[in-house]
Amino acid sequence: MEVTPFQLANNTVLSLSDSNFILPKDRRPILSEVINPDSIPIINLNENNIDDGHASSLLVSNISRACEEYGFFQIVNHGVPQELCQRVLAVVTEFFQLPHEERAQFFTTDHTKQVKVYNYYQKVEGHGKVTMWSETFTHPWHPLDDFTQFLPTSIPQYREVFGEYAREIGALMDRLLSLISRGLGLEKDYLKRKLGERPALYSQANYYPPCPNPELTMGIPDHNDLGALTILLQSEGVTGLQAIKDGKWLSVHPVPNAFVVNLADQIQVLSNGRYKSVGHRAITNDRLARVSVAMFYSPNNDTVIGPIEDFIDEEHPAMYRNYTYRDYMEEFRRQEGRRRRVKEAFEIQR
Ligand code: OGA
Ligand code: NI
């Protein structure tokens, strides 16, 4: 099918006749090996269960099992209005449909910029850089008033919709952190306290234009999220997200009115490896554009992270040394463009 080519904010056109977007053979996704339908757990949060201090132990143990076995799950009945989620996807889609000159105002490769459009790439040895088939728009989601002035003005509803969404996601993050704390046998506010005051809260909207041959490209390469916890909203009816389990890629199908939740590196480290931060990637789709919005919860730069004492004993010696999140991000930037092995850099060798 003919599709109108997508022009990236950096002024290049996504096209398979441009070798910059084509992965060398040994880096391409082998789509025939992806497992469908997926078996990622779907967990009913049951919105009547407002006080998770008393949430059913069944809910806590379901989440705990999902965190141990998959590091990935979907949640339904999470209490965030469906209509709001649809408005979020709509404003984000509108953003990526702005003329590329308008998006170009946000384009930067300077990682210190808080509001930015950029493209993922992979450095491939002996091959150079391959640009991913996607575009990404990042900005903080809290505190809102500090950054709204930088958000796109040409989409008047963007600020309001995102503001409302940020409040809902903030409450949901707290609930999930408390459920995960309880799953680990900790006080319900333990993880939130441990992750520190003034967490770094960023959103990342991803846009994957249709690609005539998804076997040749990648939307986002295999990576682990760096922070503590991610809540992802994805467009309905378009697949693309995959998570790895026991060496096999599983497709994370969009479930109506669900969020995908994945644990990120800091929870793996804090739990001394008990809960998993799992590798995932997004492949492209040959017919439809796909949109996703990831909401990240990360510690701030000064927070010290390391395995919690409760999880260290003779049988389970500390797997990681203590570090500040600043150190962690510096290590990440040293590895930029390569396969992320950030937490591995903080492992204690025995
Ligand atoms: C991310 C991510 C997956 C997706 O933004 O970190 O993994 O489905 N996104 O877009
Ligand atoms: Ni991710």
Side-chain angles (χ1 to χ4, degrees):
M1 194 176 76
E2 271 311 304
V3 284
T4 324
F6 183 78
Q7 190 145 11
L8 296 172
N10 72 4
N11 206 15
T12 55
V13 173
L14 278 185
S15 162
L16 288 181
S17 38
D18 183 342
S19 61
N20 280 324
F21 298 108
I22 302 199
L23 289 159
K25 274 211 171 67
D26 60 338
R27 296 296 188 103
R28 293 178 190 167
I30 306 172
L31 302 182
S32 58
E33 289 179 1
V34 174
I35 297 183
N36 283 300
D38 66 337
S39 49
I40 302 278
I42 297 174
I43 292 174
N44 183 351
L45 278 196
N46 182 4
E47 52 192 311
N48 298 326
N49 234 329
I50 300 292
D51 181 2
D52 288 314
H54 303 281
S56 76
S57 51
L58 182 64
L59 176 57
V60 172
S61 71
N62 283 344
I63 287 186
S64 185
R65 190 157 0 96
C67 291
E68 272 174 4
E69 289 179 18
Y70 291 86
F72 246 86
F73 51 95
Q74 305 212 47
I75 50 174
V76 293
N77 293 330
H78 43 65
V80 182
Q82 178 189 1
E83 150 281 324
L84 176 59
C85 296
Q86 280 163 351
R87 279 192 286 143
V88 170
L89 290 171
V91 291
V92 163
T93 305
E94 227 178 291
F95 176 79
F96 289 108
Q97 286 169 349
L98 288 174
H100 73 95
E101 297 88 345
E102 267 186 69
R103 280 178 281 121
Q105 298 166 20
F106 298 95
F107 183 81
T108 177
T109 52
D110 175 357
H111 68 78
T112 63
K113 288 267 184 301
Q114 300 228 308
V115 179
K116 54 182 179 273
V117 166
Y118 60 97
N119 303 106
Y120 276 92
Y121 60 88
Q122 259 184 312
K123 281 187 206 149
V124 183
E125 230 167 282
H127 186 93
K129 240 160 111 169
V130 180
T131 305
M132 299 296 103
W133 195 276
S134 61
E135 189 163 271
T136 283
F137 179 43
T138 293
H139 58 75
W141 57 267
H142 186 86
L144 222 50
D145 297 338
D146 294 1
F147 72 91
T148 39
Q149 70 200 78
F150 303 111
L151 294 180
T153 45
S154 43
I155 307 168
Q157 345 60 297
Y158 192 101
R159 301 168 181 211
E160 194 191 314
V161 170
F162 228 90
E164 212 176 316
Y165 190 58
R167 275 192 298 278
E168 294 282 346
I169 293 296
L172 186 56
M173 283 286 183
D174 287 355
R175 256 187 100 182
L176 287 168
L177 285 173
S178 106
L179 288 164
I180 293 168
S181 297
R182 290 185 56 205
L184 285 168
L186 303 164
E187 292 286 318
K188 65 177 178 167
D189 58 352
Y190 192 99
L191 282 177
K192 183 156 186 201
R193 274 193 289 112
K194 195 78 189 172
L195 290 164
E197 303 209 334
R198 293 177 298 104
L201 303 175
Y202 283 86
S203 68
Q204 176 172 308
N206 306 296
Y207 187 69
Y208 309 95
C211 171
N213 188 351
E215 305 254 354
L216 303 179
T217 59
M218 191 71 81
I220 293 192
D222 180 6
H223 69 280
N224 295 66
D225 291 351
L226 301 164
L229 193 62
T230 305
I231 298 179
L232 183 103
L233 173 66
Q234 53 175 339
S235 26
E236 251 176 61
V238 196
T239 56
L241 176 60
Q242 301 177 345
I244 202 157
K245 167 132 172 70
D246 306 326
K248 296 199 172 69
W249 287 103
L250 308 182
S251 175
V252 185
H253 283 296
V255 169
N257 309 326
F259 289 115
V260 177
V261 178
N262 66 286
L263 303 186
D265 289 352
Q266 306 316 311
I267 292 205
Q268 172 159 340
V269 171
L270 287 167
S271 70
N272 201 24
R274 196 152 132 193
Y275 282 1
K276 301 288 182 299
S277 161
V278 165
H280 53 285
R281 66 182 185 184
I283 57 149
T284 57
N285 185 287
D286 62 353
R287 289 173 306 114
L288 301 165
R290 178 167 173 269
V291 182
S292 69
V293 183
M295 303 287 272
F296 300 123
Y297 189 108
S298 310
N300 75 34
N301 278 338
D302 296 320
T303 305
V304 176
I305 301 287
I308 297 168
E309 299 241 319
D310 301 43
F311 305 119
I312 303 172
D313 56 34
E314 250 171 63
E315 234 178 285
H316 308 93
M319 290 174 66
Y320 305 94
R321 60 183 172 86
N322 288 357
Y323 53 81
T324 62
Y325 195 60
R326 179 180 293 105
D327 298 339
Y328 202 81
M329 292 308 287
E330 277 170 13
E331 177 59 32
F332 160 64
R333 286 195 191 98
R334 269 194 288 279
Q335 298 185 17
E336 186 95 65
R338 290 180 283 145
R339 171 75 183 92
R340 283 189 204 171
R341 297 182 57 78
V342 188
K343 59 184 173 328
E344 288 77 0
F346 296 89
E347 273 174 6
I348 295 174
Q349 307 297 331
R350 281 171 214 280

